[in-house]
Amino acid sequence: MFRIIAKSLKTGILTEPQPFTARPPFGFPVIDFARCTACGECARACPTGAIQVSAPAADRRKLSLSYAACIQCRECVTACPEQAVSAGRDFEIAAYTREQLTHTALFDIDGAGRATLRQLEAQPGPGLGESAARLRERIRGRLGRSLHVRQVDAGSCNGCELEITATANPVFDLERFGIHFVASPRHADLLLVTGPVTRNMEIALRKTYEATPEPRVVVAVGACGCSGGIFGERTYAAVGGVDRVVPVDVYIPGCPPRPQAILNGLLVAMGVREARLKPDGQATSPEPAGAGIAVRGRAPVLALARDAERA
Ligand code: SF4
Ligand code: SF4
């Protein structure tokens, strides 16, 4: 007993007081579309089809990058002859829809085959400002309610589970945000689902969803949960992304997402649930700076947790 106390005193407090300030060494690729020539080398190198190049007209080319399908292998970074792709360091990559996780750029192609950036397509999500405001309010108010989470492995390789487990360790300590894991969906507010839903798990996931009381929130974790990832969709063994089976409220991409990214996504989901519990409530603050599509730097989605901590 004394040894345990002595060891605890020696170890001190490990919990990271600002878990959202430490940046990971690398994250999702960021394309500098101003330098991009839409040559398509990155798309050819991408193992998951996260980067797509198409030609909607003879003098147009379209390049899109989907974080939902990206496994952060950085093959595109090495493949780009223009050095227009770099590894970003953001982890606040949670979104309300798959489309929000996609950057798209349209290029004009001249007679000599040179590409010039014409426009970027932005897809802001529904209710983004409202949810962000609620989240900030909630953090400021020291989380009056807690969030009970049931994790569902619908066919994951367990990489995502390792990172989810890390959110509960003394460093990230998700319980300080009022978030707890529970054993039964009947006790849960939120389902945290990983994996490309395998055919064997499809019915189990549907039943778990039905067993969770309203207003339930579903969060898809990992490239597999967001889009089928490296395993693809509609194969003999897997249905694909979680939204092919049950409605998804928040997407947390990555292969696997870092604990901070999962924590950030859960806080975003907390805002979604809050909005459902009080659908007539008014947002009290404007949409956070940085929410929305960014070509460089911040990811095209929600930098909510970091903004909330700063508030
Ligand atoms: S980092 Fe993502 S977008 Fe780039 S090649 Fe790998 S999977 Fe494709
Ligand atoms: S996203 Fe990556 S780590 Fe997570 S289940 Fe799929 S392959 Fe595994």
Side-chain angles (χ1 to χ4, degrees):
M1 177 70 177
F2 285 116
R3 267 198 322 194
I4 293 172
I5 295 172
K7 190 169 180 203
S8 303
L9 290 173
K10 197 172 156 199
T11 310
I13 296 169
L14 292 177
T15 305
E16 183 57 63
Q18 305 286 341
F20 302 109
T21 50
R23 299 280 101 191
F26 65 88
F28 288 90
V30 178
I31 301 179
D32 182 352
F33 286 113
R35 287 174 70 183
C36 175
T37 57
C39 66
E41 286 299 325
C42 54
R44 281 186 278 282
C46 180
T48 63
I51 305 180
Q52 301 276 342
V53 181
S54 60
D59 59 346
R60 293 263 197 287
R61 207 169 289 159
K62 199 183 217 182
L63 190 141
S64 65
L65 162 62
S66 164
Y67 286 164
C70 175
I71 57 167
Q72 298 156 290
C73 67
R74 289 171 286 161
E75 288 294 325
C76 51
V77 177
T78 2
C80 178
E82 306 295 331
Q83 278 91 48
V85 190
S86 57
R89 299 185 68 194
D90 282 330
F91 52 74
E92 297 97 337
I93 315 274
Y96 295 123
T97 62
R98 274 202 206 193
E99 292 70 30
Q100 264 188 303
L101 288 169
T102 305
H103 297 214
T104 304
L106 194 62
F107 296 85
D108 286 326
I109 307 296
D110 66 16
R114 281 185 298 265
T116 318
L117 179 63
R118 184 186 177 87
Q119 71 179 71
L120 296 169
E121 286 174 15
Q123 310 229 1
L128 188 68
E130 184 186 1
S131 191
R134 286 183 182 283
L135 171 64
R136 278 204 292 240
E137 222 175 64
R138 197 156 173 68
I139 297 221
R140 251 191 233 129
R142 298 247 173 225
L143 305 171
R145 282 176 63 99
S146 56
L147 185 76
H148 293 95
V149 178
R150 172 73 165 102
Q151 201 261 321
V152 183
D153 176 347
S156 141
C157 74
N158 281 354
C160 285
E161 274 68 24
L162 284 173
E163 301 299 319
I164 290 171
T165 307
T167 61
N169 71 20
V171 177
F172 296 105
D173 188 18
L174 92 168
E175 296 224 346
R176 75 181 123 161
F177 296 104
I179 303 169
H180 311 276
F181 285 103
V182 292
S184 166
R186 296 193 195 285
H187 303 156
D189 306 309
L190 180 146
L191 294 179
L192 194 64
V193 191
T194 59
V197 183
T198 58
R199 303 229 176 250
N200 284 347
M201 280 301 290
E202 184 182 353
I203 293 173
L205 175 59
R206 230 184 273 282
K207 283 189 175 170
T208 307
Y209 175 77
E210 281 158 14
T212 311
E214 292 277 11
R216 60 199 156 202
V217 173
V218 178
V219 177
V221 179
C224 295
C226 291
S227 68
I230 196 78
F231 301 103
E233 295 197 282
R234 297 191 181 98
T235 66
Y236 75 98
V239 183
V242 176
D243 58 6
R244 302 283 181 218
V245 181
V246 295
V248 171
D249 301 288
V250 176
Y251 295 76
I252 307 174
C255 182
R258 290 174 186 275
Q260 298 101 313
I262 297 169
L263 214 43
N264 176 68
L266 284 172
L267 292 172
V268 171
M270 207 178 242
V272 172
R273 185 165 188 275
E274 186 78 359
R276 275 190 198 156
L277 284 168
K278 297 181 199 163
D280 300 328
Q282 294 298 311
T284 52
S285 38
E287 188 168 305
I293 297 281
V295 179
R296 235 178 187 297
R298 282 178 129 175
V301 270
L302 311 177
L304 301 185
R306 195 165 58 193
D307 289 342
E309 289 229 327
R310 282 180 186 152

